[in-house]
Amino acid sequence: MKNTILLSGAVASLLITAMTACNQPTLSPDTQILANQIGFYPNQEKVIFLDTALNASFSVFDQNGKIVLKGQTGQSKLSNSNRFRTPVDISELKVAGDYTLKIGGLDYKFSVKDDLLKDLAVASLKAFYYQRTGVAIDEPYAKEWSRPAGHLDDKVMIHPSAVSKGRKAGDIISSQFGWYDAGDYNKYIVNSAYTIGMILSTYEIIPDYFANQNVDIPESSNNIPDVLDEMMFNMKWMLTMQDPADGGVYHKLTTPSFEAFVMPSECKQQRYVVAKSSPASYDFAALMAMASRIYSNEELYGDFSKKALDAAKKAYAWAESNKGTFYFQFKMNEKFDPDVTTGAYDDINESDERFWAATELYLASGDENYRSDAVAIIPNCYKTSTWGNLASLGQWQWIRNAATGNEADKEIGEAQTKLLQQYADSLVDVALTTPFATPYGGSPMNFHWGCLSESCANPAIELSRLFYLTKEQKYLTAAIENMDYILGRNPLGFCYVTGFGVNSTKHPHHRLSEADGIEKPIPGFLAGGPNGGKQDGLDYKTDDPELCFLDDVNSYASNEIAINWNASLVSLTALIDYFSQSK
Ligand code: 9MR
Ligand code: 9MR
């Protein structure tokens, strides 16, 4: 039955009187109510779920105790973990305010407001500030999470795997700044390039949203959007990872093994740059070319743009003549000492990295050679990106370029838009079938390492991009549904972002949060999410992939945080917040 807004006429009131007169089933007091714990936008879909099967009427009260909406539960669906989920659709409530839902004898409080995700958008970007290496994280910006500088990286050693003309094993270079990758303290080129590429691609869609955002970082008072300052902090480090002898880019800067859970200033292990790789070099080339376009204002950024484009061309040229130079940590350790056992970001398919790089180099330079490299390997299907498969970063640029490019480019862009549309439509269709009525979460395959970013937020970013192009509401609605999932509309009723919601990640696998002696985790970080792979060997007490999550500091398979996952959160919150304003 369709919900009925009270005050909408005599017929509606009669109907409501009839409904309330019926005997209503009551819910057990421990029934979970599963919903976005931050709330809802006035003009967007609003659905709250019950963790059980129920057919009943409900009422929504405003703060004065007045009934503002009455309705009936929707159809219950069975989930993978064999539980019924029942939707309570309150979308017709369109006035900002604080409300109470009453159903089956239970109360649930929620708010409806504009700018709903504004604070989350700021916090998810501020998270990058907390990850900064080589500088003190100061009290005025960081509050209780301030800390002294660590990992100055002014004496980084050339690992024997990274030897080249002019740099022998054991030589010392400076490779300062940049962010910690994740829960660990290392810095990885592949993931850095991907992270910034994702965020800059969002910046390009809604630059005015970011121009108005104050993240409260040391650079906040300059004339540059905070997001561009924060990305620059890591790009400056990335530029030091290019071997001046030949343009190739070191795969990572790392300690031989992961540090203990201690603060950065207590870490003493020697740090190394290790082997150059072609995927890292292509990723670096792509990002630097992209940044050369976005940071082209010389008054604001000096000669960064020229330097970045030059670095991009050299990295691409190196990768072209060293195709297939993959990072095989195991093989590297057989040949060289010390052994390195930290994150590998190993990827043995580089055609997507090459495609992204050639695309960005073409857009930045106009050089036809890059264009033909890109066009020769342009994908014929569209799927959202991950750190290891980031073709859609390039495909999206062709789509954007359709509006301004020449006829031939326009044709390519339009063909790619069709592919994006097919992909987005498939996501919208899936949402009709899943227990939480979200595109994400219907299949056990959805729950893997980093899934909330890669399979939940990232598809939602593609949906938001298509909404931006078409203004078709169904795409934005589906994107918001996945955001709802992250923020509590899920089997565990859990909000997977630190510092937000009423029941959220408190013990992320994050050295900075764990070692600082502060009870609250650093806010604004997205956890990897439920992961049926259980690679950390912990006892999850269940085999249902959608439930394989532990808010435990040792759970690196489900509860780590990472810059690329936060790039998804930054992008999705900003896009949704921008597109959902009713003003
Ligand atoms: O802390 C490490 C985390 O950042 C990685 O994602 C994870 C997988 O590579 O490894 C974590 O480190 C663990 C290591 O692999 C095994 N010993 C325990 C370490 C800390 O929990
Ligand atoms: O995000 C990465 C995930 O896709 C891989 O399955 C996993 C194991 O190789 O590694 C993840 O990346 C980790 C990186 O290697 C080291 N820093 C922490 C990252 C997040 O767990």
Side-chain angles (χ1 to χ4, degrees):
M1 184 191 298
K2 201 166 151 28
N3 297 342
T4 320
I5 286 262
L6 203 72
L7 310 176
S8 69
V11 180
S13 326
L14 273 177
L15 185 64
I16 285 153
T17 318
M19 273 165 45
T20 41
C22 300
N23 265 347
Q24 285 296 319
T26 47
L27 289 169
S28 132
D30 55 11
T31 304
Q32 284 213 74
I33 296 190
L34 312 169
N36 182 328
Q37 293 169 19
I38 299 185
F40 306 94
Y41 286 97
N43 290 341
Q44 301 296 343
E45 179 186 87
K46 304 165 195 65
V47 188
I48 292 173
F49 277 80
L50 303 173
D51 180 26
T52 187
L54 184 76
N55 183 1
S57 63
F58 65 81
S59 315
V60 176
F61 293 76
D62 69 9
Q63 275 189 304
N64 303 320
K66 197 172 102 192
I67 296 184
V68 288
L69 177 69
K70 284 202 163 227
Q72 190 74 15
T73 49
Q75 205 194 340
S76 308
K77 282 195 182 124
L78 202 58
S79 78
N80 287 310
S81 49
N82 237 349
R83 312 253 336 183
F84 278 103
R85 316 292 183 195
T86 308
V88 176
D89 191 337
I90 52 163
S91 301
E92 288 172 49
L93 190 64
K94 291 187 170 23
V95 179
D98 293 326
Y99 298 98
T100 304
L101 164 74
K102 287 188 185 282
I103 183 155
L106 299 184
D107 284 8
Y108 179 78
K109 291 189 186 323
F110 63 91
S111 359
V112 173
K113 61 175 186 175
D114 266 316
D115 302 330
L116 183 80
L117 296 183
K118 185 178 173 207
D119 294 349
L120 182 60
V122 168
S124 57
L125 189 52
K126 181 78 172 258
F128 287 86
Y129 167 70
Y130 289 112
Q131 293 290 97
R132 288 187 185 189
T133 72
V135 288
I137 299 303
D138 287 325
E139 211 272 340
Y141 312 105
K143 305 200 187 69
E144 63 256 63
W145 299 286
S146 64
R147 60 174 170 84
H151 299 103
L152 299 187
D153 288 340
D154 53 349
K155 294 183 193 66
V156 173
M157 205 171 261
I158 302 287
H159 189 260
S161 62
V163 165
S164 67
K165 215 170 90 200
R167 288 184 170 180
K168 3 181 245 313
D171 278 2
I172 296 295
I173 61 165
S174 174
S175 189
Q176 291 189 276
F177 311 123
W179 307 305
Y180 297 119
D181 180 61
D184 65 320
Y185 286 149
N186 304 300
K187 308 193 284 197
Y188 307 82
I189 286 292
V190 165
N191 204 36
S192 278
Y194 171 62
T195 295
I196 302 179
M198 162 76 87
I199 292 178
L200 289 184
S201 72
T202 305
Y203 169 77
E204 286 185 293
I205 300 174
I206 48 171
D208 46 330
Y209 182 83
F210 288 101
N212 291 322
Q213 189 181 51
N214 182 356
V215 185
D216 194 20
I217 55 176
E219 299 82 1
S220 286
S221 53
N222 69 14
N223 276 332
I224 297 169
D226 288 352
V227 68
L228 296 187
D229 282 319
E230 195 55 59
M231 299 304 111
M232 182 63 95
F233 188 85
N234 198 63
M235 286 193 291
K236 281 192 175 150
W237 161 67
M238 291 180 73
L239 286 171
T240 70
M241 290 290 282
Q242 184 166 42
D243 184 348
D246 58 15
V249 180
Y250 304 116
H251 195 72
K252 61 177 172 176
L253 188 160
T254 184
T255 47
S257 57
F258 286 115
E259 289 284 1
F261 273 64
V262 297
M263 288 303 277
S265 47
E266 288 166 45
C267 292
K268 300 285 181 269
Q269 277 197 61
Q270 178 62 48
R271 304 212 341 145
Y272 294 86
V273 291
V274 301
K276 286 175 277 200
S277 76
S278 44
S281 301
Y282 281 127
D283 277 339
F284 172 101
L287 175 67
M288 289 302 161
M290 181 186 199
S292 77
R293 277 193 294 116
I294 295 172
Y295 293 76
S296 63
N297 183 332
E298 278 184 31
E299 261 171 52
L300 292 176
Y301 312 110
D303 63 352
F304 174 80
S305 175
K306 272 174 58 195
K307 272 197 196 150
L309 186 57
D310 185 50
K313 287 178 179 171
K314 288 182 177 145
Y316 188 82
W318 185 88
E320 285 292 279
S321 29
N322 291 275
K323 284 201 191 90
T325 308
F326 299 127
Y327 183 73
F328 290 122
Q329 194 153 274
F330 184 70
K331 276 199 203 153
M332 184 177 90
N333 288 340
E334 284 178 345
K335 251 175 113 175
F336 302 112
D337 288 324
D339 283 7
V340 175
T341 55
T342 55
Y345 287 115
D346 44 354
D347 177 10
I348 51 163
N349 178 346
E350 63 188 348
S351 76
D352 51 310
E353 285 81 6
R354 182 168 178 257
F355 166 67
W356 182 36
T359 297
E360 293 290 1
L361 275 158
Y362 166 56
L363 294 178
S365 69
D367 184 332
E368 289 292 322
N369 291 318
Y370 297 124
R371 185 183 188 281
S372 45
D373 283 0
V375 171
I377 52 174
I378 194 163
N380 56 12
C381 77
Y382 197 104
K383 191 176 181 301
T384 197
S385 59
T386 65
W387 64 262
N389 186 354
L390 39 69
S392 77
L393 288 184
Q395 289 172 282
W396 172 248
Q397 290 300 339
W398 284 96
I399 292 173
R400 283 186 67 244
N401 188 47
T404 49
N406 59 33
E407 275 310 303
D409 287 0
K410 198 169 159 190
E411 218 170 275
I412 295 176
E414 281 167 0
Q416 290 294 317
T417 309
K418 286 212 181 89
L419 299 178
L420 167 60
Q421 186 127 22
Q422 281 165 12
Y423 172 64
D425 285 337
S426 73
L427 295 170
V428 170
D429 288 348
V430 167
L432 299 173
T433 67
T434 58
F436 285 98
T438 44
Y440 174 75
S443 152
M445 305 278 284
N446 286 162
F447 303 98
H448 51 84
W449 200 317
C451 56
L452 291 179
S453 154
E454 296 181 356
S455 295
C456 184
N458 290 359
I461 290 167
E462 307 296 352
L463 288 160
S464 309
R465 289 171 170 178
L466 191 59
F467 171 78
Y468 160 73
L469 295 177
T470 63
K471 297 291 173 286
E472 277 190 65
Q473 179 63 35
K474 64 178 177 185
Y475 299 122
L476 181 58
T477 299
I480 293 174
E481 286 164 350
N482 272 6
M483 182 57 110
D484 285 345
Y485 191 102
I486 289 173
L487 299 176
R489 177 173 165 179
N490 60 54
L492 296 170
F494 200 74
C495 172
Y496 290 101
V497 182
T498 55
F500 284 80
V502 290
N503 178 22
S504 67
T505 307
K506 305 263 182 327
H507 307 286
H509 185 85
H510 184 207
R511 283 165 177 74
L512 292 173
S513 286
E514 176 69 8
D516 62 4
I518 307 290
E519 198 182 323
K520 287 189 284 178
I522 303 176
F525 285 101
L526 175 66
N531 173 4
K534 305 182 189 174
Q535 291 87 340
D536 46 32
L538 299 181
D539 180 8
Y540 285 76
K541 303 209 163 45
T542 174
D543 287 324
D544 285 322
E546 67 175 7
L547 304 178
C548 287
F549 172 81
L550 289 179
D551 185 14
D552 177 329
V553 69
N554 296 312
S555 176
Y556 58 78
S558 79
N559 203 25
E560 189 165 356
I561 61 88
I563 55 171
N564 55 320
W565 304 340
N566 254 64
S568 311
L569 188 64
V570 164
S571 294
L572 186 58
T573 43
L575 290 165
I576 289 178
D577 201 43
Y578 183 79
F579 292 134
S580 296
Q581 301 307 324
S582 49
K583 292 168 284 225

